Amino acid sequence: MIEDSAEDAELLQDQLLVSGLEAEFERVDSELELRRTLDGTPYDLVLSDYQMPGFSGDVALKIVRSKRPELPFIFVSGTIGEDIAVQALQNGAIDYILKHNPVRLPAAAARAVREARLEQERAMVEKELLRSQRMDCLAMLAAGLSHDLRNVLQPLLIVPDLLSTYSEDARVHKLGKIIAESVRRGHDMTESMLSFVKGSRNVGSEVVKIHELLDAIEMLMQGTLRRGVTLRLQVPDEEFSVRANFTEFQQCVLNLCINAVHAMQGRGGEILLSVEAHPDSPDTHLLLRVSDQGVGMSDEVKQRLFTPFYTTKPNGTGLGLMSCKRFIDGVGGGVRVESTLGEGSEFILTLPRYMADAEPALADRFVDGGGRLVMVVDEDATRLPLIANALSAQGYLPLSVADGAAALRSSAEVSQIDLIIVDSDLSLMSAATLLTALRNRGVSAPVIALQEMEEALPHQVLPETLVNGVVAKPPEIPALFRAIQNVLDVDPPR
Ligand SMILES: Nc1ncnc2c1ncn2[C@@H]1O[C@H](COP(=O)(O)OP(=O)(O)OP(=O)(O)O)[C@@H](O)[C@H]1O
Ligand SMILES: [Mg+2]
């Protein structure tokens, strides 16, 4: 209540309480007091006199509108004339009541509060909707971006394999390995982005040694550690391993470490990354802890941590922990948080442990092509020569054609085709049409389709009756040769 007369205020209060409104009241009668009270308590309604000595209702309305725009404001005055009342409503008051005729007050007050609450709910729903739309946008952006990025990386995926077949120089091999590794990580990241968007994960996994992962993180964090913040690793056993995608795993722990650095900003302290066998199931699970000596969290923050877009930082996205959680869920693990306000926080990850003798090694050697004729039909001008090169390096005879029509022409010029590799997304003549036409002309070679595996992207799927094997795009050379071996039914060398 903004009211200079204590008696008037009391009268209005009685009126409202008698009508059954459950409320508490506070009275102010100066600008300073009004500003101070508005900062503190979450009021539901303002009732204001219009003319007070040293303070005017118009000013009060302006202050309330600017500080708490959602708070309903009703003038209750003995003096308000029609002109002023209209002006007041235009300025944002929602009603005016005459003091000498206050019967309408309880109903007006109740309605004002009810409508303000409804409005708040509506605003929240709208915000939630906006948030989910933002999520959709983000998903589309990420899908597009990762798709394009994958196309950029595609040729690079194949180059290192070729380099090593063309040169005996050990230095070239070493450089090729570095390229291969970096490109594979880049490619993994695009895949993670896509699977993140789709909410599934089909990202290839590998055996990740925790000590290697944490060493890499220590290196990456060097630039991020602020003054007074140190990072310590505790890995008692170098064989501790988890089957996961290295890049995603690294991103997850990095997110936790960066949060820890933020939490220790201006305080300093130690981040401890430690791993141990799970005390309850040491053979099957590991515990990975990321603990900090930062500000800690309130219960509210603790509860909302993993919610998308929940952030307490001015520049945060609030996606860091959400993506951590997705990774952890994806490998079949779990995460728990312990935190004390003012002392620090600890994220405790339970991860399925990988034991070395659980899986046989992959035989990664392939048979010689023995001069078999392989027709490669691909409209992608970078991919075509790369696949052809890989084939000839392995002893096959590649016959590269850039589209369906060329494939039909070439097929007439050779006596026998041993294998057809075809992009399932041919645009000029569809792959299905081409394969059917080849069949009709008596070409009976087995077919390997290069197929887009990403459901988020537009692509064609060839009927099973037309293909004998499928290789995911972008084709990795080992996967391609494995498929070739399968469809040609040749035994790999011992
Ligand atoms: N180690 C921590 N100590 C204290 N609070 C934390 C810690 N880790 C996370 N939080 C709280 O959880 C919130 C959500 O974290 P999350 O990583 O998801 O997003 P963010 O860090 O705010 O933004 P971004 O990761 O995009 O920079 C943070 O804003 C912070 O309030
Ligand atoms: Mg974060």
Side-chain angles (χ1 to χ4, degrees):
M1 293 181 143
I2 305 168
E3 173 64 77
D4 60 306
S5 149
E7 294 79 36
D8 280 6
E10 195 120 340
L11 271 174
L12 290 175
Q13 281 184 31
D14 286 349
Q15 180 108 30
L16 288 166
L17 292 175
V18 163
S19 77
L21 194 82
E22 277 178 38
E24 284 173 44
F25 300 88
E26 203 157 329
R27 184 174 70 89
V28 299
D29 61 3
S30 74
E31 179 172 343
L32 194 70
E33 252 186 309
L34 174 63
R35 286 186 185 277
R36 210 174 34 227
T37 1
L38 281 178
D39 283 335
T41 327
Y43 292 101
D44 291 301
L45 176 64
V46 177
L47 301 176
S48 173
D49 198 355
Y50 189 70
Q51 264 179 350
M52 295 161 278
F55 191 24
S56 91
D58 282 334
V59 175
L61 177 58
K62 261 199 199 109
I63 294 171
V64 173
R65 281 283 74 86
S66 73
K67 283 182 96 83
R68 296 274 310 273
E70 79 291 352
L71 191 56
F73 189 108
I74 296 179
F75 275 120
V76 187
S77 171
T79 52
I80 201 160
E82 204 158 298
D83 293 353
I84 294 175
V86 169
Q87 189 61 45
L89 293 181
Q90 276 174 358
N91 290 344
I94 60 160
D95 209 342
Y96 70 92
I97 308 284
L98 295 175
K99 270 188 189 166
H100 56 264
N101 183 16
V103 281
R104 222 162 50 76
L105 180 59
R111 199 191 66 188
V113 172
R114 200 172 52 236
E115 282 179 358
R117 291 202 173 143
L118 272 176
E119 177 57 30
Q120 262 174 30
E121 268 169 40
R122 203 191 54 77
M124 251 173 59
V125 170
E126 193 167 278
K127 209 167 127 197
E128 206 41 56
L129 191 72
L130 267 177
R131 173 184 289 200
S132 79
Q133 279 170 348
R134 238 185 338 157
M135 203 51 178
D136 288 349
C137 270
L138 208 69
M140 264 167 53
L141 259 176
L145 194 72
S146 37
H147 174 247
D148 293 353
L149 206 60
R150 249 176 24 162
N151 278 352
V152 173
L153 292 176
Q154 248 178 24
L156 277 176
L157 273 174
I158 303 176
V159 166
D161 285 313
L162 292 179
L163 272 183
S164 60
T165 57
Y166 285 149
S167 168
E168 299 289 314
D169 191 335
R171 286 168 305 177
V172 172
H173 285 211
K174 200 168 152 215
L175 290 176
K177 270 209 182 105
I178 296 175
I179 298 178
E181 187 55 21
S182 308
V183 172
R184 201 171 57 76
R185 298 240 172 277
H187 187 250
D188 277 1
M189 282 166 97
T190 62
E191 297 267 309
S192 322
M193 197 138 73
L194 270 170
S195 61
F196 174 80
V197 168
K198 294 196 312 168
S200 72
R201 46 196 49 255
N202 49 8
V203 178
S205 63
E206 58 203 293
V207 175
V208 177
K209 287 197 169 168
I210 303 291
H211 88 94
E212 285 174 5
L213 180 92
L214 299 191
D215 283 350
I217 284 180
E218 188 176 32
M219 209 176 67
L220 289 168
M221 286 295 292
Q222 287 315 321
T224 317
L225 293 178
R226 310 255 160 79
R227 236 180 323 148
V229 178
T230 53
L231 179 72
R232 188 156 64 92
L233 308 185
Q234 213 170 58
V235 189
D237 186 340
E238 298 219 329
E239 289 309 311
F240 280 158
S241 308
V242 168
R243 189 165 252 296
N245 175 279
F246 188 96
T247 310
E248 286 190 348
F249 199 170
Q250 176 171 292
Q251 199 56 46
C252 170
V253 181
L254 262 182
N255 276 338
L256 295 175
C257 289
I258 289 169
N259 282 348
V261 170
H262 286 160
M264 295 202 281
Q265 212 158 8
R267 307 165 54 101
E270 183 184 79
I271 304 173
L272 175 62
L273 294 177
S274 70
V275 60
E276 67 199 276
H278 196 298
D280 298 337
S281 49
D283 291 339
T284 54
H285 288 89
L286 295 176
L287 286 184
L288 176 68
R289 299 169 190 268
V290 180
S291 49
D292 66 60
Q293 300 175 327
V295 290
M297 314 169 201
S298 65
D299 283 341
E300 197 217 331
V301 173
K302 222 186 288 181
Q303 270 168 18
R304 302 184 57 189
L305 275 182
F306 297 103
T307 317
F309 298 114
Y310 177 74
T311 179
T312 57
K313 301 171 192 170
N315 296 320
T317 65
L319 290 171
L321 284 179
M322 172 199 173
S323 78
C324 281
K325 180 98 175 40
R326 286 183 100 115
F327 163 76
I328 297 163
D329 290 346
V331 296
V335 57
R336 186 159 63 80
V337 183
E338 279 174 12
S339 180
T340 311
L341 259 183
E343 287 183 18
S345 313
E346 182 169 52
F347 285 76
I348 305 157
L349 279 56
T350 309
L351 301 166
R353 178 173 183 179
Y354 169 83
M355 290 286 211
D357 50 6
E359 287 179 31
L362 246 174
D364 249 343
R365 308 216 30 230
F366 304 101
V367 278
D368 186 84
R372 289 189 184 81
L373 186 71
V374 183
M375 177 186 265
V376 187
V377 195
D378 197 336
E379 286 169 1
D380 186 315
T382 33
R383 201 161 50 209
L384 188 59
L386 290 168
I387 294 177
N389 274 336
L391 285 170
S392 55
Q394 194 70 24
Y396 294 91
L397 205 60
L399 174 61
S400 311
V401 288
D403 56 47
L408 287 178
R409 275 197 306 279
S410 301
S411 71
E413 291 161 11
V414 294
S415 58
Q416 190 194 331
I417 298 176
D418 296 303
L419 173 69
I420 299 170
I421 298 176
V422 63
D423 179 6
S424 56
D425 281 313
L426 292 181
S427 55
L428 298 174
M429 175 190 298
S430 82
T433 312
L434 168 66
L435 292 175
T436 315
L438 286 173
R439 288 262 170 98
N440 291 340
R441 293 176 178 207
V443 179
S444 60
V447 175
I448 291 176
L450 304 179
Q451 172 91 51
E452 187 64 64
M453 292 302 183
E454 215 39 79
E455 285 159 28
L457 303 171
H459 64 269
Q460 301 185 25
V461 179
L462 291 172
E464 269 174 39
T465 50
L466 289 177
V467 297
N468 307 78
V470 172
V471 172
K473 281 204 283 192
E476 284 177 43
I477 297 301
L480 185 63
F481 282 129
R482 255 196 300 277
I484 293 177
Q485 246 161 238
N486 280 342
V487 305
L488 292 181
D489 211 15
V490 283
D491 291 330
R494 302 267 144 202

